[in-house]
Amino acid sequence: MLAGVAYDVEAVRKHFPALDEGAAHFDGPGGSQVPDVVAEAVAATLVSAIANRGSVTTAERRADEIVRGARQAAADLVGGVPDGIVFGRSTTQLMYDFSRALGKNWAPGDEVVVTRLDHDANIRPWVQTGATVRWAGFDPVTGELPVEAVTSLLTDRTRLVAVTAASNLLGTRPDLPAIAAKVHEAGALFYVDGVHLTPHTPVDIAALGADFFGCSPYKFLGPHLGFVAASPALLDTLHPDKLAPSSDAVPERFELGTLPYELLAGTTAAIDFLAGLVPGEGDRRARLLGSMRALEEYEESMLRLLDNGLAELSGVTRYGSPTRRRTPTVLFSVDGVAPTDVYSGLAERGVNAPAGTFYAIECARHLGLGNTGAVRAGIAPYTTASDVNRLLEGVAALRNA
Ligand SMILES: Cc1ncc(COP(=O)(O)O)c(C=O)c1O
């Protein structure tokens, strides 16, 4: 960030037509609202001449440029390389695809390590490979995932370790570089779920030590799809099932069928939008790092408001220690009120903060919340102090009702 450049939330909000509907959105961890420029890029692609990727007609070249542009943008966002970006329908779909491609090289007795902190998308596909599963638990009181909880499970049979970069339920950010060092010492691969982290902070997959890093543009102001970032050399060692005539090049080898060109154009637009959240200089990667740092600082200020406000309300339970390193996501419940009633009561007041387990079913159960979960409030790039106050007033009223 340029010294002294402040994050201007009102200027950012002007780009989100959906906010004119008036709700205070704390549902960002489920999917963010979308800026006008992203919708325009999607629409422009759909009404332009377009064909399958190629180099003969303008329409073919347009499709090709969109794909290459989106790979470059995604690589800039996470610090990867364009030929290491694999696009797919969703992160869940890609995790299933990669679990199959990796798992077919594993022998009986080979092991995977998964955590109870993760979204099920980074658990079940690995469990269903048939590998022997070792489960890492987290501390249900603090919400922390200690490094040793994962690394103590490594053996000479470990093939892969799957850990979230941030819990979509608690926001907890495990110490990935420390885990990665041990995973690699053991000769295993490290599959990181970056879906919940990527919208909130600068990401550098090499610094995190991730061999695979998955994320979903619809969580960071883009359209509904997913991508995985990896090194092209690693991708080249894998041979997923594919059609006979489809390309065997990396990364196309992993992309089944025709790519959604309009969504890829929207993804590039979303990443460009993120790069421009605050004024910056240099190439897109440099501007992204500055913007995401400014966004992180702003979101943390909103998180403090929310944390402090909830702490003042008796009868409200928050999960995990507030001092954890975490994304601006809060999980809470109101004593004596079902989470779904808090959710609907807030919705009646124009505050969108859903309740549930959000597919982090192991995490919810480990917290003692069973299959019901709790209420989740996530800060997004368009969240204001007034939104936070609306949420706090709503919770206070429901508590007294
Ligand atoms: C942490 C995390 N991982 C994975 C996913 C699944 O992403 P997708 O909907 O793209 O499959 C989600 C979605 O909520 C998530 O929050």
Side-chain angles (χ1 to χ4, degrees):
M1 185 173 63
L2 295 177
V5 175
Y7 183 84
D8 184 349
V9 69
E10 289 306 331
V12 168
R13 285 174 66 88
K14 288 202 175 78
H15 286 279
F16 289 82
L19 300 179
D20 295 343
E21 291 181 31
H25 284 274
F26 291 91
D27 46 7
S32 56
Q33 304 306 306
V34 173
D36 45 14
V37 287
V38 170
E40 285 157 18
V42 172
T45 306
L46 288 170
V47 296
S48 303
I50 196 110
N52 287 339
R53 294 176 71 185
S55 57
V56 176
T57 67
T58 303
E60 290 169 352
R61 285 196 295 274
R62 178 170 290 122
D64 197 53
E65 278 159 22
I66 287 172
V67 175
R68 288 174 194 279
R71 291 204 208 286
Q72 182 65 61
D76 286 347
L77 181 67
V78 299
V81 293
D83 286 348
I85 302 293
V86 178
F87 285 107
R89 185 166 67 74
S90 64
T91 289
T92 303
Q93 176 76 60
L94 287 163
M95 281 166 171
Y96 265 113
D97 289 350
F98 274 90
S99 69
R100 287 176 191 145
L102 285 153
K104 66 184 183 181
N105 298 329
W106 297 343
D110 281 350
E111 298 173 5
V112 293
V113 176
V114 296
T115 87
R116 298 206 188 274
L117 191 64
D118 272 78
H119 184 286
D120 218 50
N122 202 26
I123 298 177
R124 219 55 56 187
W126 307 114
V127 170
Q128 291 168 359
T129 58
T132 301
V133 181
R134 294 182 174 265
W135 289 88
F138 62 94
D139 183 329
V141 176
T142 64
E144 298 276 11
L145 178 74
V147 170
E148 308 70 47
V150 179
T151 57
S152 63
L153 302 174
L154 293 166
T155 73
D156 58 1
R157 298 302 303 269
T158 311
R159 294 287 165 263
L160 181 130
V161 176
V163 181
T164 191
S167 154
N168 64 314
L169 210 51
L170 292 168
T172 305
R173 293 176 57 177
D175 184 351
L176 296 184
I179 297 172
K182 296 281 183 197
V183 170
H184 293 145
E185 251 172 60
L189 290 167
F190 195 29
Y191 203 111
V192 174
D193 177 349
V195 174
H196 185 65
L197 180 70
T198 307
H200 300 294
T201 187
V203 171
D204 180 345
I205 52 172
L208 295 176
D211 295 304
F212 299 92
F213 185 89
C215 58
S216 302
Y218 75 96
K219 309 283 191 182
F220 58 78
L221 317 181
H224 291 85
L225 75 166
F227 71 81
V228 173
S231 91
L234 173 58
L235 292 177
D236 204 30
T237 63
L238 301 177
H239 298 280
D241 292 338
K242 61 177 274 305
L243 303 183
S246 67
S247 171
D248 196 38
V250 166
E252 282 82 359
R253 187 188 293 178
F254 298 90
E255 295 172 331
L256 306 178
T258 309
L259 285 169
Y261 304 124
E262 63 279 11
L263 303 186
L264 295 184
T267 298
T268 303
I271 294 169
D272 282 334
F273 185 82
L274 287 175
L277 281 176
V278 297
E281 283 164 13
D283 61 14
R284 182 169 50 201
R285 173 74 180 153
R287 285 181 287 112
L288 276 165
L289 292 176
S291 261
M292 295 308 286
R293 234 173 266 132
L295 175 64
E296 186 170 33
E297 212 172 278
Y298 174 74
E299 289 189 340
E300 271 170 14
S301 72
M302 292 298 108
L303 177 64
R304 275 195 296 279
L305 277 184
L306 179 55
D307 267 346
N308 294 342
L310 286 176
E312 280 172 17
L313 297 179
S314 60
V316 172
T317 304
R318 287 173 304 151
Y319 298 94
S321 144
T323 56
R324 266 169 310 140
R325 186 158 168 263
R326 62 192 170 124
T327 58
T329 299
V330 177
L331 187 72
F332 68 93
S333 57
V334 177
D335 296 353
V337 188
T340 46
D341 290 341
V342 177
Y343 171 19
S344 54
L346 288 171
E348 278 165 25
R349 291 166 170 80
V351 176
N352 297 3
T357 68
F358 307 99
Y359 280 41
I361 187 80
E362 298 291 342
C363 182
R365 289 176 183 161
H366 199 62
L367 286 166
L369 297 171
N371 295 344
T372 304
V375 184
R376 181 178 69 178
I379 306 290
Y382 38 77
T383 305
T384 62
S386 136
D387 289 338
V388 173
N389 287 334
R390 279 171 74 184
L391 172 62
L392 291 170
E393 281 160 22
V395 174
L398 288 164
R399 186 191 52 146
N400 296 329

